[in-house]
Amino acid sequence: MRSRFVLLFIVSLYSALSVANQQKLEYSPDISCNQIGYFVDQPKIASIRKCEVKTFTLCDATTHQEVYRGKISPSKYWGTSGEKIRQIDFTKFKNEGTYYIVVPTLGRSASFVISNKWPKDLLKSTIKSYYYWRSGMSLKTTYARKWNRPNGHPDTVVYIHPSASSSNRNSYDVISAPKGWYDAGDYNKYIVNSGITCYTLMASYLFSKDKWDDLSMNIPESTDSIPDILNEIRYNLEWMLSMQDPYDGGVYHKLTSPSFAGEIMPSKDIQKKRFVVQKSTGATLNFTAVMAKAAEVYNPFDSVFAKQCLEASLKGWQWAIDNPRVVYDQKMINQKYQPAIVTGAYNNKDVKDEFAWAACELYLTTGQKSYLSFAQKQFLSMRYLKVPNWGNTAMLGIYSLLENSDKVSRKDQDVMQLDRKLLVLADQLLDAYYASPNKTAFGNVSSDYKWGSNAIAANQGMLLLYAWKITGRQAYYKAALSNADYILGRNPMGYCYVTGYGNQSPKNPHHRISSADGIDDPIPGLLVGGATNLKLTSHRFPSSYPSKRYLDQYSCYVTNEVAINWNAPLVFLLSGLFSNL
Ligand code: 9MR
Ligand code: 9MR
């Protein structure tokens, strides 16, 4: 009896002491985990660096009691971080709750949840970011909370730049092109980048409809009967429509001030005139593809708007067929015209992929076989497709055809090798995931760390989710999830790269509004560009290895800018992962 009492005493003393010790543990940036959450029945991986201990424990974040204990894997060298990485795997632990990891000698990790609901709040925030990107309206406290702001850039007086004059519109004629989203940290509006962004968000709606139907974003249109994500996208589509020259169907490349604004709020940026510049084939085809898609997506809600989108798309297509090689070459333009334009170029030189994509969308919306034949020819002339980005959109057409494979005959699917086009890339990513010392599909090769690397991770995730959907193979889903883990903290910098989320997130994004609004917290839900191998600025990074070339500084635009085309694949990835549950 006595000895049992002593034993019990010793055990409870030990656990009280270990709880007290746990509470005192310091946060260690060397334990990288998804700082938001893990799904109950999916892989739960974290990683560590610089440490040889053999076991880890998982602790309940409220009681600080140990709930699970496991072995840490042997180390493997990761070429893109220049470090030896070790895995912590607690996949087998399936109790919902909030936890942290403890690694003796290192400390504790960030807290995260194990739950099937974790993406919801983050998803709301990443899509709400588009509301904060709106140009041409004031943001009211009801919707914008402390980030409310007065109107800036009404864009009701926009000049035709001399590069854009045509028989019906002279230089310095005034047009009105209001609404739309700012591109990124700057205040300009670019058609090429709007194209892939609107497509990706509409695709997200189609892919995860049940998640979007009742997700309220608390925006001015929230009381109508249309899903909020579509309300938000329409705000930009309406601007895009105004960028088409009604006389010939061509689309201006961008609406911009001649140079970037300073670190000021939109309402203070009133010094410079804003122009629409030269029409381009790339912009017109982006527009054509997006408007064809919008005609399909919006038809059940507003057939008048859908019809307007389709007419605009057809007009754009005709212009592109008549003008197939009008490249936007800013340098050349500046040699010929005044004022010089020095903002983002998005100079899409090769437009084969835009032709293919636009033809796919027009085929699906109109049912006319000639568009599909056109697309097939374009695809035949491309050796292989790529994970999409603003300059390479061919895969977007493949996504759309695969989502609507009932509209493509078996024979056409075979001729085009439709599945293969996607699966070749998905399998490469899957192999990378299996072989990765970091257990992520993203980030194993230096070429993943271009400008906006976090969006490359998200776009790879999007591609993997399509592969999962058409094959039903869970491995693709897990690989997609690994990229979400990377973005949300399981990376060598230990950053959750979305503003306002996680234990360590960017505080100084290259985002003029977040910087100039006088509010400490940046606007939430913005994905920063992330680590990069580019050597554009003279900043000193924590390491010369690509996955660690990241700085949370306003001036470091090459790692810390935010952009509409980067948030969109994250929105897709989060909602798509969530749609499995
Ligand atoms: O602020 C600009 C950002 O939005 C662009 O993405 C980036 C690249 O075009 O340029 C930024 O502007 C910088 C300019 O290019 C060079 N001087 C410093 C500017 C602001 O930091
Ligand atoms: O994301 C764009 C990147 O791929 C290009 O290499 C770079 C230079 O043209 O421009 C980036 O886009 C920026 C745009 O030019 C201006 N607005 C901010 C964008 C994000 O940095």
Side-chain angles (χ1 to χ4, degrees), residues 1-221:
M1 191 67 195
R2 215 158 141 211
S3 62
R4 258 169 78 194
F5 179 77
V6 172
L7 191 68
L8 205 68
F9 177 75
I10 292 172
V11 168
S12 45
L13 185 69
Y14 174 78
S15 87
L17 277 176
S18 78
V19 165
N21 284 341
Q22 238 80 276
Q23 279 172 312
K24 274 191 270 156
L25 276 175
E26 293 228 353
Y27 168 71
S28 165
D30 288 316
I31 311 173
S32 297
C33 62
N34 180 328
Q35 295 173 20
I36 311 298
Y38 293 89
F39 290 124
V40 176
D41 292 311
Q42 292 295 335
K44 302 179 199 75
I45 311 278
S47 60
I48 57 164
R49 297 173 291 276
K50 298 184 195 157
C51 173
E52 298 302 323
V53 297
K54 296 213 163 57
T55 53
F56 70 91
T57 54
L58 196 63
C59 292
D60 184 299
T62 328
T63 63
H64 302 283
Q65 296 278 3
E66 177 182 325
V67 292
Y68 185 81
R69 182 176 283 245
K71 282 206 177 95
I72 309 178
S73 79
S75 64
K76 268 197 192 167
Y77 178 75
W78 203 31
T80 49
S81 73
E83 294 167 330
K84 287 182 178 164
I85 305 237
R86 300 178 66 199
Q87 301 300 324
I88 286 174
D89 188 338
F90 49 103
T91 305
K92 288 195 188 126
F93 182 77
K94 297 188 176 191
N95 295 352
E96 291 191 67
T98 308
Y99 306 95
Y100 57 85
I101 297 158
V102 175
V103 177
T105 72
L106 277 187
R108 55 162 286 183
S109 73
S111 296
F112 48 80
V113 300
I114 294 180
S115 152
N116 286 340
K117 299 199 185 86
W118 66 261
K120 194 155 187 191
D121 187 42
L122 181 63
L123 178 60
K124 269 192 182 176
S125 212
T126 52
I127 185 68
K128 178 80 179 252
S129 66
Y130 291 89
Y131 170 73
Y132 288 112
W133 256 309
R134 287 187 189 192
S135 122
M137 69 181 281
S138 57
L139 305 194
K140 302 270 182 279
T141 312
T142 334
Y143 313 111
R145 300 183 286 151
K146 63 180 170 186
W147 297 282
N148 63 80
R149 65 171 190 250
N151 190 7
H153 309 104
D155 287 339
T156 45
V157 177
V158 175
Y159 297 90
I160 304 280
H161 188 259
S163 64
S165 71
S166 57
S167 49
N168 288 295
R169 284 179 163 182
N170 295 321
S171 299
Y172 285 90
D173 277 1
V174 169
I175 66 165
S176 175
K179 301 191 177 180
W181 302 311
Y182 298 126
D183 185 55
D186 62 330
Y187 291 145
N188 306 301
K189 305 190 286 193
Y190 308 76
I191 287 289
V192 166
N193 211 35
S194 272
I196 186 167
T197 304
C198 285
Y199 173 87
T200 305
L201 294 177
M202 286 191 279
S204 173
Y205 166 72
L206 295 172
F207 194 93
S208 317
K209 242 186 196 160
D210 57 325
K211 294 289 171 236
W212 289 117
D213 278 343
D214 52 21
L215 191 142
S216 171
M217 287 166 55
N218 185 29
I219 53 177
E221 302 79 6

Side-chain angles (χ1 to χ4, degrees), residues 265-402:
M265 288 300 277
S267 55
K268 297 274 159 47
D269 184 26
I270 47 178
Q271 307 300 329
K272 297 178 197 145
K273 287 193 168 66
R274 287 172 55 100
F275 293 90
V276 290
V277 297
Q278 187 201 282
K279 293 164 197 161
S280 70
T281 313
T284 306
L285 286 169
N286 261 278
F287 174 99
T288 301
V290 161
M291 290 304 159
K293 186 98 218 150
E296 173 202 332
V297 170
Y298 288 82
N299 195 42
F301 303 102
D302 184 342
S303 58
V304 176
F305 180 64
K307 196 159 164 264
Q308 186 192 358
C309 292
L310 182 57
E311 279 166 11
S313 173
L314 293 169
K315 268 177 111 170
W317 177 257
Q318 195 50 53
W319 189 90
I321 292 289
D322 296 340
N323 301 273
R325 270 180 295 276
V326 187
V327 173
Y328 182 77
D329 184 338
Q330 203 153 268
K331 226 171 158 189
M332 287 253 296
I333 290 175
N334 288 341
Q335 280 163 12
K336 271 169 99 175
Y337 305 105
Q338 290 280 337
I341 303 287
V342 300
T343 52
Y346 290 116
N347 58 336
N348 214 337
K349 287 193 191 110
D350 181 356
V351 290
K352 240 185 266 157
D353 49 306
E354 276 76 23
F355 264 117
W357 172 35
C360 291
E361 300 301 342
L362 275 169
Y363 167 66
L364 292 171
T365 307
T366 65
Q368 277 178 36
K369 194 69 204 293
S370 56
Y371 291 115
L372 188 62
S373 316
F374 188 101
Q376 281 179 16
K377 271 196 213 118
Q378 298 295 314
F379 285 125
L380 276 178
S381 68
M382 293 174 212
R383 289 224 347 260
Y384 52 89
L385 304 191
K386 288 187 179 162
V387 175
N389 61 51
W390 65 261
N392 198 319
T393 52
M395 187 60 83
L396 306 182
I398 301 297
Y399 291 163
S400 290
L401 293 179
L402 285 169

Side-chain angles (χ1 to χ4, degrees), residues 184-186 260 343-344 451 510 512 554-555 557 561:
D186 62 330
F260 289 116
T343 52
W451 198 319
H510 188 82
R512 285 168 174 75
Y554 178 85
S555 63
Y557 60 82
E561 191 158 0

Side-chain angles (χ1 to χ4, degrees), residues 342-559:
V342 300
T343 52
Y346 290 116
N347 58 336
N348 214 337
K349 287 193 191 110
D350 181 356
V351 290
K352 240 185 266 157
D353 49 306
E354 276 76 23
F355 264 117
W357 172 35
C360 291
E361 300 301 342
L362 275 169
Y363 167 66
L364 292 171
T365 307
T366 65
Q368 277 178 36
K369 194 69 204 293
S370 56
Y371 291 115
L372 188 62
S373 316
F374 188 101
Q376 281 179 16
K377 271 196 213 118
Q378 298 295 314
F379 285 125
L380 276 178
S381 68
M382 293 174 212
R383 289 224 347 260
Y384 52 89
L385 304 191
K386 288 187 179 162
V387 175
N389 61 51
W390 65 261
N392 198 319
T393 52
M395 187 60 83
L396 306 182
I398 301 297
Y399 291 163
S400 290
L401 293 179
L402 285 169
E403 278 277 53
N404 295 279
S405 52
D406 54 320
K407 294 187 182 161
V408 187
S409 72
R410 198 60 256 170
K411 187 165 159 262
D412 284 327
Q413 289 190 38
D414 290 345
V415 172
M416 292 180 80
Q417 296 195 301
L418 204 52
D419 290 14
R420 288 309 313 150
K421 285 200 164 57
L422 177 82
L423 295 180
V424 164
L425 278 175
D427 287 341
Q428 281 169 15
L429 289 169
L430 198 56
D431 289 347
Y433 166 64
Y434 286 137
S436 169
N438 196 47
K439 263 251 167 238
T440 47
F442 171 80
N444 303 293
V445 284
S446 175
S447 57
D448 273 354
Y449 298 90
K450 296 194 188 104
W451 198 319
S453 61
N454 287 333
I456 297 178
N459 269 309
Q460 291 176 351
M462 176 173 173
L463 187 141
L464 285 160
L465 286 181
Y466 275 114
W468 162 63
K469 192 166 181 187
I470 65 166
T471 63
R473 273 185 72 189
Q474 287 293 325
Y476 293 126
Y477 181 93
K478 293 187 197 319
L481 182 58
S482 77
N483 280 8
D485 275 2
Y486 172 93
I487 292 168
L488 302 176
R490 192 153 67 76
N491 58 62
M493 291 302 301
Y495 264 85
C496 170
Y497 284 120
V498 182
T499 55
Y501 283 83
N503 189 67
Q504 171 158 262
S505 63
K507 299 279 186 294
N508 310 296
H510 188 82
H511 181 228
R512 285 168 174 75
I513 296 169
S514 292
S515 172
D517 62 5
I519 298 164
D520 275 351
D521 298 326
I523 283 178
L526 302 171
L527 176 67
V528 297
T532 186
N533 58 16
L534 295 181
K535 303 199 164 74
L536 281 178
T537 58
S538 54
H539 293 94
R540 282 179 66 89
F541 293 104
S543 146
S544 58
Y545 287 89
S547 68
K548 300 193 85 166
R549 298 185 84 249
Y550 172 75
L551 271 187
D552 179 19
Q553 279 178 21
Y554 178 85
S555 63
C556 194
Y557 60 82
V558 69
T559 66

